[in-house]
Amino acid sequence: MKEWWIQVGLIAVPLLAVYLHIPPPNLSPALYTWRSTGAFFTYQEQRIFYRDSWGAVGSSDVVILLHGFPTSSYDWYKVWEGLTQRFQRVIALDFIGFGFSDKPRFHRYSIFEQASIVEALVNHLGLIDQKVNLLSHDYGDTVAQELLYRYEHRRQGHINIGSLCLSNGGKWCLQFDLLGD
């Protein structure tokens, strides 16, 4: 009898080849609307999807939403309207490799790169000098923690964090005074 791994390989390789060439399914009406109300910016030759809504009149607060794994900015669709009633701007992005953002093959994905993409989006939107609030979930919590580290250590290009809310993710070493009091 042949080695078991040869038999598995003879089945798996053709299936993988077929899978990689199957076109994606059509978008649901809700996802189509989500994408059509968003935009793209370029980060190191990769298209990154984001959504930016203006909301509450009289507020100057901005909130940036960081999604979980393995999903996308669409995670936030049920709370989007409520957030626009509280914040002047509500912004969410799809991390590289997720949602409508590019998914390059053979790419070395990292939390550090995802944090840099958030910083690049803030710069792209002209918010580099404004305090922003971060609301994150799951995988986004780890990205938020990297952004917090950069803010605390005043790394070049860091974003100014006014508040941070982590939900359902790794929480460690978060003794940090955002107001500097």
Side-chain angles (χ1 to χ4, degrees):
M1 185 171 156
K2 293 182 180 180
E3 297 288 333
W4 68 269
W5 57 270
I6 293 174
Q7 293 174 357
V8 170
L10 290 174
I11 294 170
V13 170
L15 288 175
L16 183 62
V18 169
Y19 173 76
L20 293 175
H21 290 81
I22 295 174
N26 292 330
L27 296 178
S28 70
L31 278 174
Y32 181 80
T33 299
W34 187 262
R35 185 182 67 186
S36 66
T37 57
F40 290 86
F41 81 103
T42 302
Y43 176 82
Q44 295 184 355
E45 300 179 15
Q46 302 297 325
R47 286 174 30 113
I48 305 299
F49 174 82
Y50 69 95
R51 193 155 184 242
D52 180 9
S53 294
W54 290 82
V57 176
S59 172
S60 62
D61 290 342
V62 175
V63 65
I64 299 176
L65 311 172
L66 306 177
H67 68 79
F69 177 86
T71 58
S72 68
S73 59
Y74 190 69
D75 272 0
W76 304 104
Y77 82 97
K78 286 187 177 181
V79 297
W80 194 268
E81 186 177 334
L83 290 171
T84 61
Q85 293 171 7
R86 162 61 179 90
F87 294 95
Q88 180 189 34
R89 283 177 89 172
V90 180
I91 302 163
L93 74 152
D94 288 346
F95 294 126
I96 189 169
F98 296 85
F100 297 120
S101 291
D102 283 350
K103 296 161 194 66
R105 291 187 184 172
F106 311 112
H107 184 79
R108 296 190 72 170
Y109 295 91
S110 76
I111 295 299
F112 307 111
E113 179 183 41
Q114 304 291 21
S116 294
I117 290 170
V118 174
E119 291 172 338
L121 175 61
V122 168
N123 189 44
H124 172 76
L125 296 174
L127 299 170
I128 201 68
D129 294 325
Q130 183 165 347
K131 289 259 186 211
V132 298
N133 303 286
L134 296 178
L135 174 56
S136 64
H137 171 71
D138 187 51
Y139 180 80
D141 285 359
T142 310
V143 175
Q145 289 173 6
E146 173 61 22
L147 291 167
L148 185 62
Y149 175 84
R150 293 177 185 190
Y151 172 73
E152 183 178 50
H153 292 89
R154 302 292 188 249
R155 301 288 171 136
Q156 183 176 4
H158 74 276
I159 62 175
N160 295 313
I161 300 174
S163 71
L164 172 62
C165 179
L166 305 174
S167 64
N168 193 36
K171 298 172 186 83
W172 46 267
C173 300
L174 288 180
Q175 297 176 352
F176 186 75
D177 182 3
L178 294 174
L179 300 176
D181 295 332

